[in-house]
Amino acid sequence: MKKETLWVAGMPFALMSLGLPRVAMSEPVRTLTPVVVTAPAADEPLVVRTDPKAPRQPIPAHDGADFLKSIPGFSVIRKGGTDGDPVLRGFSGSRLGILLDGQEIYGGCGGRMDPPTAYVYPESYDRVTVLKGPQSVRYGAGQSAGVVLFERDTRRMESFGWKANGSLTAGSFGRNDQMADVQVGGPQGYVRAGGTRAQADDYKDGDGNRVHSEYLRWSSHAAVGLTPDDKTRIELSAALSDGRAAYADRSMDGVKFRRENVSLMFERKRMGGFVDEVEGRVYQNYVDHVMDNYTLRKPDKMYMASNPDRRTTGGRLSATLRPAEAWKVVIGGDTRQDVHRSRGGKGMTETAATDGYLDAARVEDMRFRQYGLFSESTWYLTDADRVIGGARADWHEARDQRPSGASATAGTRDDRILPSGFLRYERDYGGNSTWYVGLGHAERFPDYWERMKGGSDGGNSAFLSTRPEKTTQLDLGTNWRSGPFGLSASAFYGQVDDYILINWDRNMTRNVDATVMGGELEGSWQFDPAWQAVSSLAYVFGRNRTDGKPLAQQPPLEARLGLNYAQGPYSAGVLWRVVAPQNRYDEGSGGIVANGKDLGPTGGFGVLSFNAGWRPHKSVLLTAGVDNVLNKTYAEHLSKSGADIPGNASFVNVRINEPGRVFWLKAQIALE
């Protein structure tokens, strides 16, 4: 399968008018390729790397969860047009680590209106890496499902100049996105800045029913970096974003998603001695979120608003050591502190509700602290054999800061020391193929959303009664390449002790024991220089051993079949996504998304989509597509049920339908 190598384009008109030379980079200039990505494949054991700037089908993503759902093994807990919660191999929430340029961010909404991926416009990043399973310890604590890294890659310039990239996207239901990114500098340093804007109206399902789903998002980022030599980089960066989003699944909408970020990082690489690399980062993320029932809809009676916020401060320091030529060790530590607060207002008028929360004092309800130490080693036994292993220990503390009347555990503290680790063997064969087997263990501290519910002991707080979740998982598979053929097969089997399950019908968090298994199968066949067939299959099976039931919120079997054509400046493709019925469910149970619970069985469906691309110049790319060509009416198994919103289709006690036929067009330009 071809690797994605793509720069997309920008609006460098101000730079062009200054007459600055284009920059000479320390790597070959990459040109735009017209191939539309439909299912990124693993390129090494349990790792998927993909270019978020590449055009995709379905319609190019506007947030992180929307982007991840194109990767085999991922699903999304849907609630309308935006801000779904990503699910990897049936695991969601804090089981899946989401890092933005190495930084952890947690949403403020108690109902998960704003998961971490809600603050991501994928195309503003240069690279997305997915690490599946508990098979690394370098990127945080308790990540039993895996880790997703959204990263910007700013390289040293060889001479003074500039580069820019950006894009425009337009589509059905008022979809319009803009993205621009510009870098100016020279060998000693650089300035990089960019911005995004994404908007859409309410969409309609295949039957023409309107779904309450409009959104508007914007983001900006800027960085100043020093690069005194090829090995060193120091960067101070900042980001600011905001927006609004209508939700079909609940009685309120999100009318403010403000994120403020500042970060300072240092790295020195390729030093060549015992200490080969050193890198560190400190950061702060502040999220200020407002939800109400009157800005984007008409309230029934009472006007209500809620304004939670969350401040996360953290840091990470690591060093890569080379004790011997065949031995590499990464050692380091990380820390994170976050504080969650809230305030609200209500009244018989919009003004009363708005003034009510603005005039109210913010009340802290919970705070967390974590310190971790880790070590991860790679032993190269031979040219074809290697062993990778790691271990970490995390010191966790949580404090229940709620008033005594609101929580039976008010003023209490939960302290734990939790270990994690893994060991994996990899062997290359056949020239460019690899097989592997690994065993991993991850222990996860209960998060904010799980602790805020009622406890299994019958009390009104699960803060102390919820035990840490412990996952032990076996991963095995192969990445095989032979001539025009490519195959990636991965399977996993896990035992989860004290799996944290929420029963939404009883507003209760409890621990159960569970078994999970499944895998992904991906294949490609370049049967002609211009033609390639691709396919993928993903399956998850989960069982709640304590109750003798299926594990809740597990996606059904899903297959993707694609046929792609690429010749010269032209490309075309077809994608058929097929999803099987899901008859395994635990009605009323689920995860941390508000009322994100199993509703019953779902039928299968198939969605057909087409795309085409044209590259009139190496720096310009035009792509277009039609998603859901047959205008099928369908809902995802993990979609939530809806609220009764005047002027929109009612999805009360049934899953929210997905968009009908969607046309889209994307223009990109890359200059460097």
Side-chain angles (χ1 to χ4, degrees):
M1 181 171 289
K2 294 181 180 179
K3 292 185 178 180
E4 305 160 35
T5 53
L6 174 70
W7 275 89
V8 287
M11 306 171 192
F13 308 115
L15 292 170
M16 293 174 67
S17 67
L18 292 173
L20 296 176
R22 296 186 186 182
V23 66
M25 303 299 291
S26 57
E27 63 172 10
V29 173
R30 294 178 289 179
T31 58
L32 296 166
T33 171
V35 175
V36 175
V37 179
T38 56
D43 57 2
E44 62 183 80
L46 297 167
V47 178
V48 177
R49 290 187 179 90
T50 183
D51 185 350
K53 294 177 174 6
R56 293 177 178 257
Q57 188 156 43
I59 184 170
H62 67 279
D63 69 15
D66 202 31
F67 175 85
L68 292 173
K69 72 180 182 182
S70 68
I71 299 176
F74 274 95
S75 307
V76 176
I77 301 173
R78 294 278 291 155
K79 46 181 175 276
T82 188
D83 297 342
D85 236 282
V87 180
L88 176 57
R89 292 175 160 183
F91 283 163
S92 61
S94 58
R95 301 177 181 98
L96 176 63
I98 305 291
L99 273 67
L100 314 185
D101 275 327
Q103 307 167 54
E104 293 189 82
I105 177 174
Y106 297 93
C109 179
R112 293 285 284 192
M113 273 188 186
D114 62 336
T117 47
Y119 296 94
V120 174
Y121 189 87
E123 199 177 332
S124 69
Y125 292 85
D126 299 317
R127 179 177 57 253
V128 176
T129 303
V130 177
L131 311 176
K132 296 182 179 180
Q135 288 290 309
S136 179
V137 295
R138 296 168 56 184
Y139 300 103
Q143 297 158 342
S144 51
V147 184
V148 181
L149 310 175
F150 290 89
E151 298 174 300
R152 294 189 176 95
D153 188 11
T154 307
R155 296 178 180 268
R156 187 177 191 239
M157 299 177 174
E158 293 182 351
S159 61
F160 184 70
W162 61 272
K163 69 174 184 175
N165 61 85
S167 68
L168 302 172
T169 303
S172 302
F173 311 121
R175 174 74 182 270
N176 69 95
D177 293 9
Q178 304 86 42
M179 188 283 294
D181 187 83
V182 179
Q183 182 178 335
V184 182
Q188 297 304 307
Y190 60 86
V191 176
R192 181 176 181 178
T196 71
R197 183 182 181 277
Q199 184 175 18
D201 299 331
D202 292 342
Y203 68 76
K204 293 183 179 179
D205 65 15
D207 291 331
N209 298 310
R210 180 180 172 184
V211 178
H212 189 62
S213 57
E214 67 161 294
Y215 62 83
L216 171 63
R217 291 290 178 80
W218 64 264
S219 68
S220 60
H221 64 271
V224 178
L226 300 177
T227 52
D229 55 51
D230 286 335
K231 301 176 181 179
T232 308
R233 181 163 69 108
I234 303 170
E235 182 183 273
L236 176 65
S237 63
L240 180 66
S241 63
D242 206 343
R244 66 171 189 262
Y247 297 110
D249 70 314
R250 61 192 70 195
S251 59
M252 283 185 168
D253 302 306
V255 297
K256 183 178 181 180
F257 293 87
R258 186 176 180 88
R259 177 200 174 200
E260 301 171 3
N261 160 258
V262 63
S263 173
L264 177 64
M265 65 85 66
F266 165 82
E267 64 180 14
R268 185 164 173 80
K269 297 186 175 183
R270 304 181 302 278
M271 290 188 284
F274 174 76
V275 180
D276 190 49
E277 297 181 7
V278 176
E279 56 182 329
R281 181 186 295 271
V282 291
Y283 64 89
Q284 179 174 274
N285 276 297
Y286 175 67
V287 170
D288 189 9
H289 172 54
V290 177
M291 62 194 103
D292 68 35
N293 68 342
Y294 51 82
T295 300
L296 301 179
R297 68 177 74 187
K298 184 179 179 180
D300 291 334
K301 295 179 182 178
M302 184 72 70
Y303 290 75
M304 296 182 293
S306 179
N307 179 206
D309 73 346
R310 193 164 192 165
R311 187 179 304 275
T312 304
T313 304
R316 182 180 186 273
L317 179 65
S318 68
T320 301
L321 312 179
R322 299 303 297 254
E325 185 177 351
W327 184 18
K328 181 176 74 173
V329 183
V330 181
I331 60 171
D334 50 43
T335 182
R336 183 191 72 248
Q337 300 180 59
D338 72 88
V339 178
H340 188 280
R341 304 182 301 176
S342 189
R343 62 181 179 178
K346 61 182 179 180
M348 299 307 296
T349 65
E350 177 178 334
T351 300
T354 302
D355 290 346
Y357 85 79
L358 289 175
D359 293 339
R362 297 185 188 268
V363 178
E364 183 178 325
D365 53 17
M366 210 167 288
R367 68 168 55 217
F368 294 83
R369 182 177 299 168
Q370 171 264 332
Y371 302 95
L373 295 174
F374 61 85
S375 176
E376 187 168 309
S377 298
T378 303
W379 296 271
Y380 298 92
L381 306 178
T382 68
D383 289 342
D385 299 80
R386 57 197 166 272
V387 175
I388 303 99
R392 70 175 290 140
D394 290 282
W395 289 258
H396 294 273
E397 177 187 276
R399 292 178 179 269
D400 189 345
Q401 304 290 88
R402 291 172 289 181
S404 58
S407 170
T409 57
T412 60
R413 184 179 70 182
D414 187 13
D415 297 284
R416 306 276 180 155
I417 300 177
L418 302 179
S420 299
F422 76 99
L423 187 66
R424 184 171 72 250
Y425 173 73
E426 299 178 1
R427 180 175 177 82
D428 299 332
Y429 67 96
N432 59 351
S433 302
T434 305
W435 68 266
Y436 61 91
V437 58
L439 183 67
H441 178 80
E443 300 196 8
R444 185 176 69 88
F445 200 53
D447 62 33
Y448 170 83
W449 297 272
E450 292 160 342
R451 292 177 184 271
M452 287 290 287
K453 302 291 179 291
S456 58
D457 56 3
N460 67 351
S461 173
F463 184 84
L464 294 178
S465 61
T466 305
R467 298 184 296 275
E469 188 175 278
K470 309 168 191 69
T471 301
T472 303
Q473 182 170 299
L474 178 70
D475 281 276
L476 68 159
T478 183
N479 294 339
W480 173 78
R481 300 288 182 272
S482 179
F485 300 99
L487 178 70
S488 174
S490 60
F492 66 94
Y493 177 88
Q495 296 278 6
V496 188
D497 296 329
D498 292 323
Y499 181 93
I500 301 175
L501 185 68
I502 296 177
N503 186 303
W504 285 96
D505 293 343
R506 300 172 61 187
N507 190 35
M508 179 182 69
T509 298
R510 56 191 288 257
N511 292 100
V512 299
D513 293 334
T515 299
V516 295
M517 66 184 77
E520 298 84 44
L521 181 65
E522 305 157 58
S524 64
W525 177 28
Q526 192 79 41
F527 59 89
D528 181 89
W531 290 92
Q532 183 188 52
V534 296
S535 63
S536 68
L537 187 71
Y539 178 65
V540 177
F541 176 95
R543 180 169 178 77
N544 175 347
R545 302 196 314 271
T546 299
D547 301 330
K549 295 180 178 181
L551 192 63
Q553 290 286 276
Q554 300 297 294
L557 176 69
E558 178 175 327
R560 291 172 182 252
L561 304 172
L563 182 63
N564 298 322
Y565 168 85
Q567 184 72 40
Y570 303 104
S571 73
V574 58
L575 170 66
W576 186 29
R577 177 176 174 243
V578 183
V579 178
Q582 178 60 289
N583 297 309
R584 294 179 51 78
Y585 60 91
D586 180 6
E587 194 164 348
S589 293
I592 61 178
V593 180
N595 284 309
K597 60 185 180 181
D598 282 357
L599 301 171
T602 50
F605 60 84
V607 179
L608 188 66
S609 302
F610 294 116
N611 65 74
W614 175 44
R615 187 183 60 206
H617 184 272
K618 68 177 184 179
S619 297
V620 179
L621 175 63
L622 302 175
T623 51
V626 185
D627 300 340
N628 193 2
V629 172
L630 303 179
N631 202 32
K632 187 175 184 64
T633 301
Y634 70 101
E636 304 284 356
H637 177 74
L638 295 184
S639 177
K640 293 183 57 185
S641 62
D644 190 4
I645 304 169
N648 295 268
S650 176
F651 295 99
V652 176
N653 297 324
V654 297
R655 293 174 178 85
I656 299 165
N657 285 338
E658 295 298 306
R661 187 182 297 114
V662 174
F663 297 90
W664 59 267
L665 174 67
K666 184 168 186 174
Q668 304 168 265
I669 182 171
L671 299 174
E672 58 177 292

